[in-house]
């Protein structure tokens, strides 16, 4: 949540880029069933048979429906939105477990889309215990996404990215996008985590059940925690994978420095000595003079790379397993004077820069940050090797856009007795274990699985069979005790050919 627009690719973040959101919307629209909606706003869901196609696990017999919700829950008689829901019926016989609602990351990820890919086996295991509902949150996937903004900014290959100039350009694009959406009658105030939490409770009531369980990843945990605060009486259990607390929208810069050191310890076993030192030396060289790199992933395009480009690349690369595996080689080659591998990643990031989606932008700005969090982040940025790259272009991007802010009550400490299972990865550069540790004192009935070696990626789901079993057991109401698990360590790239263009995977 709330990190740089230039980190919006699936490679670097859980959030989806604008182009991916457009594609997902078209695909879902083409496959959608369109049952007639009852006129009564309080009507229950009308599920119809739906063939749920996974990427590698065949077609699953499921059910699909639309949920009719108020655009603003404080005005139930006002305009409404339709949310797409797919139900995976429980396969283990009649179950007493509460239905489970899956909440995707982002904001902007598709809950329906998430289960189609490599994470399907975990969903399959959970549905043995309970119905699983895949929800596309308002404004995402098949749930009435606003029109794409026609405005964007492209940075010149011949110029290194300068932090202040880049921020000014992105703020200008964001302001023009906001003006465009307002002209198109898009109600940006409808896209907040509070409104989405209201949607979850509406879905519970439409299902006709006293309680549901929530299962969230990344931003989905932020939404789940907001639902615990507002509608906790309707929740049975909550699973949080990669936790993002109410005031964790801005990341702590020094957490990235700590993770770089930790990754360096792992990389040293593969022959890459002193990863932090390597990063420090590369940045010092680029501060003295920008350097050119030729990207083989972009048909030989030459890009001028500056120190802030490299800070952004390192900050982003720490988040996900693939780019963690690339980083030591990229830095080693740059130290040797070869910036071609760094150019690959710089251009991958720049290709998504300057593009904004209405739902993710409004959600991020609305969740915002407390004055104390902002001051802490700014102070740490002054001490971090990577400066403010971890959050760029936030928080400054949101200043002056005129978008709603949910306020410090939304971001305040959370206290609840709802049973919670935390799952955290020690190499997670987006939602570090410290987030879960800070939340646990307020959640009296919580347990935690700490996964050593897992990043903000698939190994947090699939790297150890105990993870899926723990999720299924917990949601079924069985006891899950605190545990430390291990996954295989990253396998670091040792040659340029090991860097596979993620757009062609």
């Amino acid at each position: 949540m709330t990190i740089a627009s230039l980190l919006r690719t699936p490679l670097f973040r859980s959030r989806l880029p604008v182009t991916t959101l457009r594609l997902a919307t078209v695909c879902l629209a083409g496959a959608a069933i369109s049952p007639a909606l009852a006129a009564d706003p309080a009507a229950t869901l009308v599920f119809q048979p739906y063939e749920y196609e996974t990427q590698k696990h065949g077609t699953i017999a499921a059910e699909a429906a639309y949920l009719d919700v108020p655009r603003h829950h404080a005005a139930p008689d006002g305009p409404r939105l339709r949310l797409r829901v797919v139900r995976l019926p429980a396969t283990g016989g009649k179950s007493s477990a509460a239905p489970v609602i899956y909440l995707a990351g982002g904001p902007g990820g598709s809950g329906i889309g998430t289960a189609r890919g490599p994470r399907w086996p975990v969903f399959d295991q959970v549905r043995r215990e309970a119905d699983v509902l895949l929800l596309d949150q308002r404004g995402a996937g098949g749930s009435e996404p606003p029109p794409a903004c026609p405005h964007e900014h492209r940075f010149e290959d011949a110029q290194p990215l300068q932090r202040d100039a880049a921020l000014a350009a992105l703020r200008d694009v964001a302001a023009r996008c906001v003006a465009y959406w307002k002209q198109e009658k898009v109600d940006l105030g409808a896209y907040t985590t509070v409104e989405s939490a209201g949607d979850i409770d509406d879905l519970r009531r439409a299902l006709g059940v006293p309680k549901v369980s929530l299962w969230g990843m990344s931003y989905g945990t932020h939404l789940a925690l907001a639902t615990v605060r507002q509608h906790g009486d309707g929740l049975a259990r909550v699973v949080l994978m990669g936790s993002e607390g109410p005031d964790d929208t801005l990341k702590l810069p020094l957490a990235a420095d700590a993770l770089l050191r930790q990754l360096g310890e792992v990389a040293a076993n593969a022959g890459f000595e002193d990863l932090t030192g390597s990063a420090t030396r590369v940045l010092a060289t680029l501060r003295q003079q920008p350097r050119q790199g030729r990207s083989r992933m972009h048909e030989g395009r030459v890009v001028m790379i500056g120190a802030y480009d490299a800070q952004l690349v390192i900050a982003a690369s720490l988040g996900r397993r693939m780019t963690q595996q690339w980083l030591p080689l990229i830095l080693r080659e740059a130290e040797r004077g070869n910036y071609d591998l760094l150019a690959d990643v710089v251009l991958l990031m720049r290709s998504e820069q300057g593009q904004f989606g209405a739902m993710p932008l409004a959600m991020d700005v609305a969740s915002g940050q407390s004055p104390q969090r902002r001051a802490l982040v700014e102070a740490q940025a002054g001490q971090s090797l990577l400066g403010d790259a971890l959050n760029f272009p936030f928080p400054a991007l949101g200043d002056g856009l005129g978008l709603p802010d949910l306020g410090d009550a939304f971001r305040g400490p959370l206290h609840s007795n709802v049973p919670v299972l935390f799952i955290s990865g020690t190499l997670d550069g987006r939602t570090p274990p410290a987030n879960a540790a800070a939340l646990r004192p307020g959640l009296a009935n919580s347990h935690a699985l700490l996964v050593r070696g897992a990043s903000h990626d698939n190994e947090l789901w699939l790297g150890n069979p105990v993870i899926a079993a723990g999720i299924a057991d917990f949601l079924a109401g069985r006891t899950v005790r605190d545990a430390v698990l291990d996954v295989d360590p990253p396998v670091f790239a040792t040659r340029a050919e090991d860097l596979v263009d993620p757009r062609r995977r």
Side-chain angles (χ1 to χ4, degrees):
M1 194 186 159
T2 298
I3 43 186
S5 170
L6 57 154
L7 309 185
R8 286 196 180 278
T9 69
L11 173 63
F12 299 119
R13 297 180 47 171
S14 59
R15 290 181 172 82
L16 295 173
V18 172
T19 50
T20 304
L21 289 173
R22 290 173 185 158
L23 178 61
T25 301
V26 170
C27 293
L28 283 167
I33 301 166
S34 301
L37 291 172
D40 178 8
T44 56
L45 290 163
V46 180
F47 281 104
Q48 294 191 3
Y50 181 77
E51 293 187 349
Y52 185 76
E53 296 182 2
T54 66
Q55 292 174 6
K56 295 184 178 180
H57 296 88
T59 300
I60 309 301
E63 301 166 334
Y66 285 100
L67 175 68
D68 193 35
V69 299
R71 186 185 296 173
H72 292 276
H73 289 278
D77 296 327
R80 305 184 73 78
L81 296 170
R82 291 201 316 168
L83 310 185
R84 189 64 165 156
V85 183
V86 169
R87 178 162 64 189
L88 306 172
T91 58
K94 188 173 179 59
S95 172
S96 60
V100 177
I101 301 174
Y102 177 73
L103 305 175
S110 167
I112 296 171
T114 298
R116 297 187 192 277
R119 297 172 181 178
W120 166 256
V122 185
F123 288 90
D124 192 32
Q125 191 157 344
V126 172
R127 74 179 181 133
R128 297 174 197 170
E129 308 293 344
D131 288 355
V132 176
L133 293 114
L134 309 175
L135 172 66
D136 276 356
Q137 298 158 34
R138 57 171 58 203
S143 295
E144 297 192 18
C149 176
H151 306 295
E152 60 182 275
H153 182 83
R154 293 291 179 185
F155 293 94
E156 296 181 19
D157 290 355
Q159 298 294 327
L161 192 146
Q162 301 290 341
R163 188 262 184 199
D164 291 347
L167 177 59
L170 295 177
R171 290 181 73 172
D172 176 69
V173 171
R176 285 190 285 148
C177 286
V178 169
Y180 165 76
W181 288 316
K182 289 181 178 178
Q183 179 183 337
E184 295 297 309
K185 309 300 183 186
V186 175
D187 183 356
L188 294 172
Y191 301 108
T192 73
T193 300
V194 166
E195 296 293 355
S196 287
D199 295 342
I200 293 170
D201 198 54
D202 278 7
L203 177 54
R204 176 193 64 78
R205 290 187 288 109
L207 290 168
V209 296
K211 292 182 183 290
V212 294
S213 290
L214 303 181
W215 172 19
M217 169 70 183
S218 193
Y219 166 77
T221 70
H222 185 78
L223 173 54
L225 289 165
T227 310
V228 169
R229 189 192 300 274
Q230 297 175 65
H231 306 287
D233 289 345
L235 299 180
R237 292 179 164 247
V238 177
V239 173
L240 305 176
M241 303 182 70
S243 299
E244 186 171 274
D247 201 16
D248 290 341
T249 296
L250 286 184
K251 315 305 178 191
L252 295 178
L254 290 180
D257 294 61
L259 179 55
L260 184 63
R261 292 191 296 271
Q262 188 177 356
L263 186 65
E265 294 173 2
V266 181
N269 296 326
F272 293 96
E273 300 292 339
D274 191 16
L275 188 61
T276 296
S278 182
T280 302
R281 292 186 289 272
V282 169
L283 291 172
T285 298
L286 292 173
R287 286 191 185 97
Q288 292 176 354
Q289 181 180 341
R291 304 300 170 99
Q292 283 187 345
R294 184 180 299 276
S295 172
R296 63 186 178 85
M297 289 185 187
H298 298 83
E299 300 177 342
R301 277 169 57 189
V302 175
V303 59
M304 187 65 73
I305 302 168
Y308 202 67
D309 284 303
Q311 286 178 309
L312 290 168
V313 165
I314 296 168
S317 297
L318 289 171
R320 307 297 288 273
R321 172 61 67 98
M322 179 191 293
T323 46
Q324 286 178 353
Q325 294 175 147
W326 292 357
L327 186 59
L329 178 64
I330 290 172
L331 292 175
R332 186 174 71 183
E333 289 299 301
E335 275 203 89
R336 294 173 174 175
N338 176 10
Y339 293 87
D340 291 351
L341 300 184
L342 184 57
D344 285 338
V345 187
V346 167
L347 286 177
L348 281 173
M349 295 172 64
R350 287 191 184 188
S351 69
E352 294 293 336
Q353 290 183 113
Q355 301 181 38
F356 297 99
M359 182 269 204
L361 178 62
M363 289 278 187
D364 279 349
V365 173
S367 287
Q369 63 283 316
S370 67
Q372 296 82 4
R373 181 73 169 191
R374 184 163 183 165
L376 176 60
V377 166
E378 290 173 350
Q380 288 197 9
Q383 306 168 47
S384 172
L385 177 65
L386 306 179
D388 67 355
L390 188 64
N391 291 297
F392 182 83
F394 291 91
L397 182 78
D399 296 341
L401 288 180
L403 297 176
D405 182 284
L406 291 173
D408 288 340
F410 169 83
R411 295 182 279 266
L414 179 63
H415 300 277
S416 173
N417 290 318
V418 174
V420 173
L421 175 64
F422 291 99
I423 302 174
S424 305
T426 60
L427 295 183
D428 186 339
R430 304 310 318 155
T431 52
N435 289 3
L439 288 164
R440 288 196 71 178
L443 299 171
N445 192 2
S446 67
H447 302 278
L449 300 179
L450 181 65
V451 187
R452 289 188 296 206
S455 73
H456 199 73
D457 219 329
N458 286 337
E459 71 277 1
L460 189 63
W461 295 63
L462 304 166
N464 188 307
V466 176
I467 300 170
I471 294 171
D473 283 344
F474 180 79
L475 291 170
R478 296 188 284 271
T479 300
V480 175
R481 304 195 182 281
D482 288 11
V484 178
L485 311 174
D486 290 293
V487 300
D488 291 337
V491 177
F492 294 98
T494 58
R495 54 182 187 158
E497 291 75 14
D498 294 335
L499 275 67
V500 179
D501 188 341
R503 299 167 302 177
R504 298 187 174 94
R505 293 181 78 215

